Amino acid sequence: MTVLVSVIVGLGLSFVIGLAARAALRAAAPARHRPMFRDMPLTASFGLAVILAYVVVAVLAPVIAPFGEGEVLGDQYLPWAAPHYLGTDKLGRDMLTRLIYGARNTVGIAFATTALAFVAGAVLGIWAALAGGWMDQGLSRLVDALMAIPALIFSLLLLTIFGTSVLTLILVIAAVDATRVYRLARSVAQGIVVMDYIEAARLRGEGNWHLIRREILPNAMAPLAAEFGLRFCFVFLSISALSFLGLGIKPPTADWGSMVRENATLITFGDITPLLPAGAIALLTVAVNFVVDWQLQRASGLKE
Amino acid sequence: MGRDILLSIRGLRIDGRSGDAWHPIVKGVDLTLHRGEVLGLIGESGAGKSTLGLAAMGFARDGCRISGGTINFDGIDLRTAPEAIRRGLRGKRIAYVAQSAAASFNPAHRLIDQYCEAPVVHGVMSREKAEGDAVDLYRRMRLPNPEDIGFRYPHQVSGGQLQRAMTAMAMACRPDLIIFDEPTTALDVTTQIEVLAAIRDIVRQSGTAAIYITHDLAVVAQMADRIKVLLRGDEVEEADTRSMLAAPRQAYTRSLWAVRSFARAEQPPGTGTPVVSVRNVTAGYGAVDVLKNVSFDIHARRTVAVVGESGSGKSTAARVIAGLLPPRKGQVLMGGKTLPPGFRARSRDELRQCQMIYQMADTALNPKLRLRELIGRPAEMYLGLKGRALETRIRDLLALIELEPDTYIDRLPSELSGGQKQRIGIARALAAEPQLIICDEVTSALDQIVQEDILKLLDRLQGELNLAYMFITHDLATVKSIADEVVVMQQGTVVEHGPKGALFARPKQDYTRLLLSSVPEMDPDWLNRLLAARGEHA
Amino acid sequence: MTGIWRMIGQRLLLGVLTLFIISLVIFGATELLPGDLARELLGQSATEETLAALREQLGLNEPAPVRYWNWLTGVLQGDFGVSMATQRPISELVGARLGNTLFLALYAAALSVPLSLLLGVLAALWRNSVFDRASNALALTVISFPEFFVAYILILWLAQTGLFPSMVRITGATTTGDLLYSAFLPALTLTLVVTAHMMRMTRAAIINLMASPYIEMARLKGMSPMRVVLRHAVPNALAPIINVVALNLAYLITGVVVVEVVFVYPGLGQLMIDAVTNRDIPVVQAIALIFASAYVLLNLLADVLSTVTNPRLMHRT
């Protein structure tokens, strides 16, 4: 029953946030972008609002948080009451504070990892599509073989070998996800490389650098941007899963995945506190997915 | 004509959606069709002729809506009738033949299964009866092996045969009306003749009414009893075929008729060293030779048209000259000097001398670059122009292709019409100050009136700038208007080569004669005469 | 028909080659570590004797190609070596758990494949309807949830009320019926996550085809929307749909790891997490190889099936 009620309340709240965000975007957008926001679905405006809120919380974490990140303040598993509005965890740290710092740590690490994976994968993918020939074949077959190992399994294998620290976590996940970015960037670039305007530029005698910078990248931006959003979700979920399994970000750093793990026992007593960090993860991925879905639909709609 | 009226459309309005706005595609058109009559709908792209044809079935594509008027088919109002009634008519009493049979047959099912679908689902006849009927219709459509061809999958049958099989499928329920939507546009001219003849005979024999949609006047002249001309969703005029051809009333119709009359004078034969000389070139992909021992020359101020059907190797010849496909044997000379076979090995100046204009301006211009950079880049690269000199050059080039520089210089390609995009393609080629321009089907994707403007522009530029053109096309009308010399290609070899006048007047080879005679003419009796003449030969 | 057999033969050969490369990668990954693996595993405080013993046990004194050869030939005979943590043969550890994991994956597949294909086809059929929009938003939401979030919500909702157990115990006396009941929550978790993916991809594959001229032709022949989708779109969407199913079944393999941990399900995933925590490299390698092989075999099967269902390849002129 409570689940049903909270689902309904949540949906209603999301609906209101979506409406408000859409109205705000329409009012704030410069005139030439206004048509884009006019028919944006509520899911997308809700997503944008949520992403914005996460960014604000992450940036202002020390200002907003009522206590220090690792401060042990009292008894463990205190119930929801002032001054610990969301209670305390198993070491007696303030749950709300750790949730707020988690926005900075978990999202920050996921973002850095995605950026790393993206730069490596996209650069190599576009280059391979442009170069063609045996270098493209060699690199692509290698990536195919690496992709034949499921991502989480491969990450686990690498973490076993290199040990678990934040740095190895970032490098391992970035390496694994770079293969996926490579594949997409290559296929996007291959679609562009066969265009007559690329042939014309090659016949003109343009070098590879010019081809990538002026002819390919501007046309590849839309799919690559969407891929960045999707890839962020994957990376974010992988890191959270690894942290949840005790192999990712380690305490005392506040991190949502490990917070779920640490406090999971509460679930069996019907306490939803451990679901809060999990929900925080879910909410952000939902938001990013909604925005990406909207952009992808816009892109495919424009083609027709 | 005292015959019954089968289809009556009054004040039909159809809107299409682009983004969030609806804009009109068909703007209040009337149409009357009697039983057994063939009406030709003619117009350029964007005239709304396909949309109108589909509306005659009570059908609007996704993103389109019928917003006004009535469509009365044999006493049934197709606009207000329930969807179930309309669905019951489609395929049974009104059938459709699409432009590309290859894409419109379902690749997963055999032809016979697709043939039988409509008669069986609509309850017209049993599956056994339908199969027997199919063989009969396949035979009447003059398809080879009518007993067996139905048991093939679409990908196992050639394009011309598929188009006939699709007409047979449309006939399956013996409909009262068939909509033909450009059924021969995707076919080569020599294939087109057979399909046209088969369609015309079967429509006449069965007394079916038809709406025949095309952009090709000469084709519609063979097929239709009456012709209706459309322009941007409005009717221009309507008359029976012979009087329309003899005396078009409206200026727009006359301009459509006049297109074919543009022909420039043949230039004197070239002398001295040719700009480009193709010597005994054999080239191909993988193990297949697409070009076999091909030779021809192109002189300054002359236009050499390379003509052939799909698969003749005409575009491959252009790729060899441009250096995109290094030949297996033979060589390409420029100004008497041998060019390196691959473009990567050619010097910047060699690259500059030979420029290319593409068929699809949409894919030939980078959609994210403004005209300033599109046109300016070759001038910057090859001629080292910078700053004010570059700006002046870009503006001069825009003026040369008759686009107002101030208005257009900072536009994106998406903000231009099809003809304007093709002009930008020309300007980009000119910016390099080349000697030779390869034009690969540059007018094929354009409307006839726009085609004429582009041809005239190319003709003027050639005179002013001493250019040599290699003009690749499948369209003999274009050859007649612009070429000085013609190279006829078939299956990778040069069949015949000579000055335009002599080649058109006295073709020496059978294939050239076949190709020339297959080009439809405006005369409504042309198809009859041609079939009669070929019948005597056979 | 000889063409198609040759094509299938090529795919199989490629699959074997991929498996070989994967075995190289899984084995070779340990070689990436700079310095001494034994010291890395035992830490700075290890004595020379224990280090030497570990090197001996891991065969580190042999050159890498020899060790690889020994490992590979062992694996092919079902001998994965010995666990460093428990000193028991790995095949013994893996044996029963492999069955449990396969059971869970099949259970989830049996629930999710029919469900998602049905939902995907319906969403494509009723494109842009309320059903389509709602199911799309819901699927997107579920996809965005971490597996442990879905799992805990289900526990909170269905296990707290006592309907289903939140922990799975498998003993020798467990009957299939008991197993189906006690493994319901983990299977449901996996089903939810995978169904969302599969249904969206099925819908996309069909809608992609709905723009084809032959679909318009079918509609212009007066065929009902249901018939258009089932008879004209679905046969052509088979290859993409088969790939979608294979991809998602392969995804189950990844999902299984987290779900097994949440529900304390005695499967390979849990074993792998324990092994990773203990840095029990031979066990991790063995399980990674098993998961990767399952993944490759699924994709191979999908490849062969989509070749066989393609009329262009089956009926060549």
Side-chain angles (χ1 to χ4, degrees), chain C residues 16-307:
Chain C
V16 172
L17 189 69
T18 311
L19 280 176
F20 173 70
I21 294 174
I22 287 175
S23 74
L24 267 181
V25 170
I26 288 177
F27 182 85
T30 51
E31 304 295 317
L32 289 174
L33 197 67
D36 184 4
L37 180 65
R39 185 170 293 283
E40 178 77 17
L41 291 174
L42 293 179
Q44 291 303 324
S45 58
T47 62
E48 274 310 314
E49 289 87 69
T50 51
L51 281 176
L54 184 62
R55 285 198 196 101
E56 184 62 35
Q57 188 199 336
L58 292 177
L60 289 179
N61 298 323
E62 308 247 26
V66 175
R67 274 184 288 135
Y68 173 67
W69 177 249
N70 292 338
W71 180 69
L72 189 67
T73 46
V75 165
L76 288 176
Q77 294 159 20
D79 174 17
F80 289 92
V82 175
S83 158
M84 284 162 54
T86 63
Q87 304 300 330
R88 289 171 58 198
I90 295 173
S91 44
E92 212 173 277
L93 290 173
V94 164
R97 284 168 174 259
L98 177 60
N100 291 344
T101 294
L102 280 180
F103 172 80
L104 184 58
L106 284 176
Y107 193 177
L111 291 175
S112 61
V113 171
L115 183 67
S116 54
L117 292 188
L118 182 72
L119 289 176
V121 170
L122 287 180
L125 188 62
W126 299 323
R127 188 157 35 130
N128 296 329
S129 67
V130 177
F131 171 79
D132 181 29
R133 281 164 203 266
S135 62
N136 195 38
L138 190 68
L140 205 52
T141 309
V142 174
I143 287 170
S144 312
F145 285 1
E147 287 102 351
F148 53 83
F149 187 46
V150 179
Y152 283 131
I153 289 179
L154 289 179
I155 289 181
L156 201 62
W157 186 26
L158 293 175
Q160 281 300 305
T161 50
L163 281 176
F164 293 96
S166 67
M167 285 212 215
V168 187
R169 286 202 185 80
I170 300 176
T171 61
T174 315
T175 64
T176 312
D178 289 344
L179 204 53
L180 283 174
Y181 172 70
S182 63
F184 180 71
L185 284 188
L188 186 62
T189 308
L190 285 172
T191 302
L192 283 177
V193 175
V194 172
T195 300
H197 271 285
M198 228 187 303
M199 152 199 175
R200 263 170 73 83
M201 290 159 99
T202 306
R203 174 186 177 276
I206 293 178
I207 284 185
N208 196 18
L209 287 176
M210 293 301 278
S212 316
Y214 58 79
I215 296 295
E216 182 174 281
M217 192 70 213
R219 294 169 73 189
L220 290 174
K221 275 157 76 179
M223 298 302 125
S224 65
M226 188 67 87
R227 190 178 166 92
V228 169
V229 167
L230 292 183
R231 177 144 174 90
H232 290 272
V234 168
N236 291 291
L238 273 184
I241 287 176
I242 288 169
N243 280 308
V244 165
V245 171
L247 195 72
N248 284 288
L249 293 186
Y251 181 82
L252 275 177
I253 294 169
T254 316
V256 138
V257 175
V258 174
V259 171
E260 283 184 1
V261 170
V262 174
F263 290 97
V264 205
Y265 185 91
L268 273 190
Q270 239 200 12
L271 181 65
M272 184 171 194
I273 297 303
D274 291 344
V276 174
T277 315
N278 298 329
R279 298 190 79 179
D280 192 345
I281 289 183
V283 176
V284 174
Q285 281 177 328
I287 299 176
L289 190 66
I290 293 172
F291 278 142
S293 307
Y295 192 90
V296 169
L297 290 177
L298 270 170
N299 280 313
L300 192 64
L301 188 68
D303 231 18
V304 171
L305 278 179
S306 50
T307 310

Side-chain angles (χ1 to χ4, degrees), chain B residues 61 106 109 117 155-156, chain C residues 216 227 231-232 236 315:
Chain B
R61 287 201 166 118
N106 192 325
H109 302 299
E117 189 173 21
H155 68 274
Q156 297 169 315
Chain C
E216 182 174 281
R227 190 178 166 92
R231 177 144 174 90
H232 290 272
N236 291 291
H315 307 275

Side-chain angles (χ1 to χ4, degrees), chain A residues 38-39 204 206 214 219, chain B residues 20 363 366 373 377 382:
Chain A
R38 197 176 53 205
D39 54 74
R204 195 157 67 222
E206 301 283 9
R214 294 303 302 155
N219 290 291
Chain B
D20 334 306
T363 63
N366 185 337
E373 186 169 351
R377 181 68 189 168
Y382 292 130

Side-chain angles (χ1 to χ4, degrees), chain A residues 110-146:
Chain A
F111 189 82
T113 310
T114 314
L116 196 62
F118 210 78
V119 169
V123 167
L124 283 176
I126 293 176
W127 176 78
L130 193 59
W134 64 268
M135 282 190 289
D136 173 34
Q137 284 303 317
L139 198 56
S140 298
R141 291 296 82 78
L142 178 69
V143 166
D144 281 350
L146 291 181

